[in-house]
Amino acid sequence: MPPQKEVSIAQMFPDIEIIVGTYEEYLLGYQIVEEEVKDENKLLLKQTFADKSHAGAIKCISVQGPWVASGGSDDRIFVYDMRQRKLSQVLLSHSGTINALSFAPDMSHLLSGSSDGQMKATRVGSWAVAGDWKKAHAGSPITHISCHPSSKLCLSLGGDRILNTWNLVKGRVVYRTNLKSKTTLGAAPDCLSWSTDGEHFTLTGLQVLEIWDIKTANVARRAKTPSRPICVAWLGETECLSGLENGSIAWVSLADHKEAEPKILPAHAARVKAVACLNDTLVSVSSAGEIKVWRCELEKRELTFIASTSIGCRPTSLGLVDLSLIEGGAARPKQSPAVPVATSRPSEVEPELQIDAPKGFVTIEFDDDAKPPATTPKKAAKKSQKAAKKQKKAEMDFDENSSDGESDPISDSESDDNSDSDSDSAPKRKRKQPASHTPVKRKVKKQTR
């Protein structure tokens, strides 16, 4: 009988990499590794990279295939290629905080929405803007975007509390739902997310989670929660998990009665900031910076703890990269010592990054009318000629004024003495001094006979 191949504990779980965005401008990566601790093999979360490219807090993350996109309060979107594990592109098409990012499942476009009210569709690869809707929600900030699994539809939610259904093939809104009349969702509906089959989507309110059916355009499941839902992740076509403000996770199933209460599972001591699912693996992160990995048991509706770690930062968003779908060894780097991330003053930490750090960008905008006119040699020559002409004209005017003006007075005695000699000739006149000199007036006494 051939010997059986020994299977490690880590191989029992999917090969994933956890991507975390933080308020401290860090984009962090973690992987599950197996290490021997006190003669026992345990699963631990090890940091794989720490990148600080953003100049502001990271607000959202979207992951699809090898692509990871992060949007921040610095109005920029950074796109990373996990096959090469480096920065691929920086998108500067928005002029406000990036609130929502969503890759199309077919990896054809990246949808983005910001506080300036614009919604854009950017082609993946060329990174050119394919669609631009400047007032997608009547100028209100866009808060959520979720792309349908078919990549032909998407939902967007804005500050105007209008839920837009977009036809991405034609690039226009096909249906609008006014949520202002939905008193159960409150003043700020949240947690917009499609199910894996695209038949349902979620919306949350103050202490309620609603699952809507796209066929009937009505609520198919309403679950009241003991605390406010903060985030949502779909485990399958009918199973939905929501992180609550009190640190628990609510398990909501479409198989239950419409108004049935969800199953509440303890998870963190602080509120659950973000959750993400991949196959039967759930990853949750609390506002205190604690990451936990769980294995979901669908039949029992229970969570089995796998591993945890503390990132030392305040998280904002979470994403999972399926490394088994990425070809090449670059996607599975060798484990290295964790990069230190400061808990109190992260701005003073300069970690040794494994992802190429981008250079700074400065954009200068100005109006055409405000541009200073370029001085060409021809214009300079014309200006000098005009100045010379003006100077020459001034001299001519000066000569004319000096000839027509008052001359120095001559005494009568001199005129009598010289009347015979100078009678046929005009009296000699002295030229006035230039204008820069003050003329001297001489007094001449008249002699009387």
Side-chain angles (χ1 to χ4, degrees):
M1 184 176 180
Q4 295 181 353
K5 184 178 179 180
E6 184 178 358
V7 180
S8 64
I9 302 177
Q11 291 178 351
M12 297 172 60
F13 302 97
D15 192 6
I16 63 174
E17 185 162 5
I18 304 169
I19 310 297
V20 185
T22 64
Y23 281 109
E24 288 79 9
E25 307 169 7
Y26 283 100
L27 185 70
L28 306 175
Y30 290 87
Q31 285 188 9
I32 302 175
V33 296
E34 182 183 4
E35 288 189 0
E36 186 176 350
V37 179
K38 296 181 179 179
D39 298 334
E40 293 184 3
N41 292 333
K42 291 187 177 181
L43 294 177
L44 302 175
L45 285 174
K46 288 292 184 178
Q47 191 177 47
T48 55
F49 71 86
D51 180 50
K52 195 177 182 182
S53 298
H54 283 278
I58 298 176
K59 305 292 290 183
C60 52
I61 286 177
S62 181
V63 178
Q64 190 68 42
W67 302 108
V68 174
S70 63
S73 58
D74 55 355
D75 308 349
R76 297 186 292 177
I77 301 173
F78 287 83
V79 183
Y80 302 87
D81 188 351
M82 298 306 293
R83 292 168 295 191
Q84 305 294 330
R85 304 191 69 82
K86 67 178 183 180
L87 179 67
S88 177
Q89 189 71 24
V90 181
L91 305 180
L92 306 173
S93 53
H94 286 278
S95 58
T97 300
I98 312 299
N99 295 325
L101 288 173
S102 180
F103 275 106
D106 61 357
M107 292 185 290
S108 60
H109 294 84
L110 171 64
L111 303 176
S112 58
S114 62
S115 59
D116 60 0
Q118 296 187 30
M119 177 176 167
K120 296 180 184 291
T122 306
R123 287 193 183 92
V124 175
S126 64
W127 306 113
V129 177
D132 186 359
W133 301 275
K134 294 184 178 180
K135 293 185 178 180
H137 284 267
S140 300
I142 297 176
T143 57
H144 298 81
I145 295 176
S146 182
C147 193
H148 193 266
S150 66
S151 302
K152 296 180 180 180
L153 298 174
C154 85
L155 296 174
S156 67
L157 186 61
D160 56 353
R161 287 193 286 172
I162 301 294
L163 180 65
N164 287 346
T165 303
W166 295 82
N167 185 339
L168 297 180
V169 178
K170 297 182 178 180
R172 63 189 183 196
V173 178
V174 295
Y175 195 76
R176 287 185 173 91
T177 304
N178 191 348
L179 300 179
K180 296 178 182 178
S181 60
K182 308 295 181 181
T183 56
T184 56
L185 297 177
D190 201 357
C191 302
L192 178 64
S193 177
W194 282 102
S195 62
T196 56
D197 60 353
E199 296 293 330
H200 302 85
F201 64 88
T202 59
L203 285 173
T204 62
L206 186 60
Q207 287 186 340
V208 66
L209 184 146
E210 294 182 351
I211 300 178
W212 289 55
D213 191 343
I214 63 171
K215 293 181 180 180
T216 61
N218 291 320
V219 178
R221 177 81 165 87
R222 181 182 288 111
K224 294 183 179 180
T225 57
S227 184
R228 178 187 174 188
I230 303 297
C231 48
V232 167
W234 283 87
L235 188 59
E237 298 178 359
T238 60
E239 307 300 319
C240 177
L241 301 175
S242 177
L244 305 181
E245 194 171 16
N246 61 2
S248 302
I249 293 179
W251 190 308
V252 183
S253 177
L254 285 171
D256 297 337
H257 187 265
K258 181 178 179 180
E259 300 291 340
E261 295 184 357
K263 186 174 183 179
I264 306 300
L265 305 172
H268 295 272
R271 67 173 178 173
V272 182
K273 187 64 177 178
V275 291
C277 288
L278 183 61
N279 300 328
D280 60 347
T281 303
L282 171 70
V283 180
S284 61
V285 59
S286 68
S287 58
E290 183 185 26
I291 299 178
K292 286 187 177 182
V293 183
W294 313 83
R295 184 174 183 178
C296 303
E297 298 182 11
L298 296 177
E299 296 181 357
K300 298 180 180 180
R301 296 185 186 179
E302 294 180 354
L303 299 177
T304 303
F305 175 77
I306 298 175
S308 68
T309 189
S310 178
I311 65 175
C313 292
R314 296 173 299 162
T316 60
S317 48
L318 182 68
L320 300 180
V321 179
D322 191 354
L323 299 179
S324 62
L325 301 178
I326 302 177
E327 297 179 358
R332 301 172 180 81
K334 295 180 180 180
Q335 299 299 332
S336 58
V339 179
V341 179
T343 57
S344 58
R345 304 179 67 181
S347 59
E348 297 180 358
V349 179
E350 297 181 358
E352 183 180 353
L353 305 182
Q354 295 186 10
I355 293 182
D356 298 338
K359 297 180 180 179
F361 289 86
V362 179
T363 303
I364 302 175
E365 298 180 357
F366 53 84
D367 298 332
D368 294 339
D369 298 337
K371 292 182 181 180
T375 305
T376 58
K378 292 183 179 179
K379 290 186 178 181
K382 287 183 179 180
K383 285 185 178 181
S384 60
Q385 289 178 3
K386 286 182 180 180
K389 287 181 180 179
K390 287 182 180 180
Q391 186 175 2
K392 189 174 182 181
K393 188 176 180 181
E395 291 179 356
M396 292 174 66
D397 294 343
F398 171 74
D399 292 340
E400 292 176 0
N401 293 334
S402 61
S403 60
D404 296 338
E406 297 179 353
S407 59
D408 294 336
I410 302 175
S411 61
D412 294 341
S413 60
E414 292 176 354
S415 61
D416 292 339
D417 297 336
N418 301 328
S419 60
D420 297 334
S421 60
D422 298 337
S423 60
D424 298 332
S425 62
K428 295 181 179 180
R429 298 173 181 173
K430 296 181 180 180
R431 293 184 64 180
K432 291 184 179 180
Q433 296 179 354
S436 60
H437 300 282
T438 306
V440 179
K441 296 183 179 180
R442 292 179 295 176
K443 296 182 180 180
V444 179
K445 295 181 180 180
K446 287 187 177 182
Q447 296 179 2
T448 56
R449 293 181 182 178

